[in-house]
């Protein structure tokens, strides 16, 4: 990309400075960074020259790498190996830090490092030496071989740390089905929305100190989890990604699996009961909450009634609180298992008519004490139903009059129909249901 050309040239200049100082690992790093940002013939030639000089003088490059501590970056595991700088109060001279221990490597290890670092950072199949149609088992096998050969504890060749990170990144992408599909489609880093480049034109190498894996496992952590915490252990890797940019879970198998076989069998034997435990608790709670109703007789339903007289409901009655008129069937109410015996105990019989041929009214008027408690409870339900009916009817008619009044008021005071407004006011005062509610004291 042309937008990265200036940054690539700046990295190329830094690489040349490190080469002049014989700091070949840093020089290689910035040369690779320059190629990843914008590929130029000068960067390729410089990288070849660095590799040639580095192969001919590995000891000097290692020494120069540690001599330029102001620009060298810490190892990938995050530990900064800084030598303490002590000052002597009696002398103005400072002691020189001791030279770090030299790490050994074989020509084969150096060749593996060069092959990996020669690949671009998003050439995951080339990094692992795999074909695009390879199986998941092949990905794991290739990672196992390269990770063991490139691990910093076993490979001291220049650039081994960077190669180890590149192998880890390639494995994390190709071992995840969703990320691998995204990579196959775009050819870029599936974790990067700009196809391998970070937002703002930054380099995938972070701040110049090695590749950063945002949202991913640290390469050392991935290695330890894959191999069960040691170089001699092994096990499969299972990854699950929940949505783009979401969280990612990684499950690793290790060498402890055999030693924990008995514990896993016991856990599997208990798992059905563990899964059924919430249902059993819910069932027990429901049973306990309904336990009282299992030993009690349900109350009988209220007798039927009507607010208008008919051939079935012939006995007129009045509720004791509001004096609402309702009608019942004399035979049905006297046969009621609760109300009937109480009426008979108080000397009432609705089947018998008085001298005028009418059914006697048990309680007449508002505020009188009721002698039949079960009938008083029944009449309370009658009053509630009647007042709800009146309230709904009153509300509907008031709303209708309100809408008509809005239309009669005209538009901003123009075209007011005063005769219509007066008529609506009279109609509102004459609404029977509203007046009944006022009489009962339910509305003001």
């Amino acid at each position: 990309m042309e937008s990265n050309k200036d940054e690539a040239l700046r990295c190329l200049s830094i690489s040349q400075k490190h080469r002049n100082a014989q700091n070949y690992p840093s020089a290689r790093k910035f040369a690779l960074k320059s190629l990843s940002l914008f590929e130029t013939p000068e960067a390729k030639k410089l990288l070849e020259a660095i590799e040639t000089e580095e192969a001919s003088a590995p000891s000097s490059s290692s020494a120069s790498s540690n001599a330029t501590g102001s620009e060298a970056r810490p190892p990938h595991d995050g530990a900064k190996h800084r030598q303490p700088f002590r000052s002597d109060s009696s002398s103005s001279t400072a002691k020189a830090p001791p030279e770090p221990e030299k790490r050994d490597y074989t020509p084969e290890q150096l060749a593996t490092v060069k092959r990996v670092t020669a690949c671009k950072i998003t050439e995951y199949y080339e990094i692992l030496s795999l074909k695009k149609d390879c199986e998941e088992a092949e990905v794991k096998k290739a990672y196992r071989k390269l990770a063991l050969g490139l691990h910093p504890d076993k490979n001291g060749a220049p650039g081994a740390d960077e190669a180890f990170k590149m192998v880890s990144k390639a494995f994390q992408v190709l071992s995840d089905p969703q990320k691998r599909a995204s990579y196959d489609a775009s050819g870029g880093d599936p974790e990067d929305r700009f196809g391998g480049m970070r937002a703002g034109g930054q380099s995938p190498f972070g701040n110049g100190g090695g590749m950063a894996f945002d949202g991913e496992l640290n390469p050392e952590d991935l290695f330890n989890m894959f191999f069960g915490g040691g170089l001699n252990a092994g096990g499969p890797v299972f990854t699950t990604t929940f949505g783009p940019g979401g969280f990612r879970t990684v499950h690793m198998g290790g060498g402890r699996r055999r030693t924990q076989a008995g514990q896993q069998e016991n856990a599997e034997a208990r798992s059905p009961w563990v899964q059924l435990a919430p249902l059993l608790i819910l069932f027990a709670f429901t049973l306990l909450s309904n336990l009282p109703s299992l030993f009690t007789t349900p109350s009988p339903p209220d007798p039927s009634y009507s607010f208008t007289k008919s051939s079935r409901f012939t006995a007129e009655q009045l509720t004791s609180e509001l004096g609402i008129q309702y009608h019942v069937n004399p035979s049905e109410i006297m046969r009621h298992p609760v109300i009937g015996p109480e009426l008979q105990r108080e000397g009432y019989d609705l089947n018998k008519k008085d001298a005028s041929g009418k059914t006697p009214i048990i309680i007449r008027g508002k505020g009188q004490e009721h002698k039949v408690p079960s009938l008083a409870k029944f009449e309370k339900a009658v009053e509630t139903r009647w007042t709800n009916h009146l309230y709904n009817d009153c509300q509907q008619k008031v709303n209708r009059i309100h809408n008509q009044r809005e239309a009669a008021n005209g538009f901003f005071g123009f075209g007011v129909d005063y005769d219509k407004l007066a008529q609506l006011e009279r109609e509102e005062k004459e609404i029977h249901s509203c007046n009944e509610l006022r009489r009962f004291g339910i509305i003001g």
Side-chain angles (χ1 to χ4, degrees), residues 346-357:
E346 296 295 330
Y348 293 105
D349 188 357
L350 299 185
N351 290 319
K352 296 180 180 181
K353 298 182 179 182
D354 57 12
S356 61

Side-chain angles (χ1 to χ4, degrees), residues 21-40:
Q22 296 184 354
N23 186 0
Y24 297 115
S26 297
R28 169 191 292 276
K29 185 188 329 181
F30 281 97
L32 290 172
K33 181 177 179 181
S34 176
L35 287 173
S36 65
L37 292 172
F38 189 83
E39 190 171 321
T40 59

Side-chain angles (χ1 to χ4, degrees), residues 149-167:
L150 294 173
H151 193 274
D153 293 343
K154 300 187 66 177
N155 191 334
D161 292 352
E162 200 69 32
F164 179 69
K165 297 175 187 178
M166 294 174 67
V167 169

Side-chain angles (χ1 to χ4, degrees), residues 55-91:
S56 61
S59 59
S60 61
S61 64
S62 176
S64 63
S65 174
N66 291 279
T68 58
S70 60
E71 295 185 0
R73 300 298 177 183
H76 79 281
D77 59 358
K80 299 182 178 181
H81 301 286
R82 297 181 178 178
Q83 299 295 337
F85 184 82
R86 301 175 181 175
S87 60
D88 192 352
S89 58
S90 62
S91 175

Side-chain angles (χ1 to χ4, degrees), residues 15 22 49 97 99 108 110 112 125 140 173-174 204 242 244 265-266 289-290 326 329 331 384 399 402 407:
S15 176
Q22 296 184 354
E99 295 184 0
E108 292 77 10
L110 178 61
T112 303
Y125 290 105
K140 297 176 183 177
V173 173
L174 299 184
F242 295 87
E265 291 177 359
N266 295 334
S289 61
N290 295 329
Y326 69 101
N329 186 289
S331 300
T384 301
N399 291 338
H402 176 75

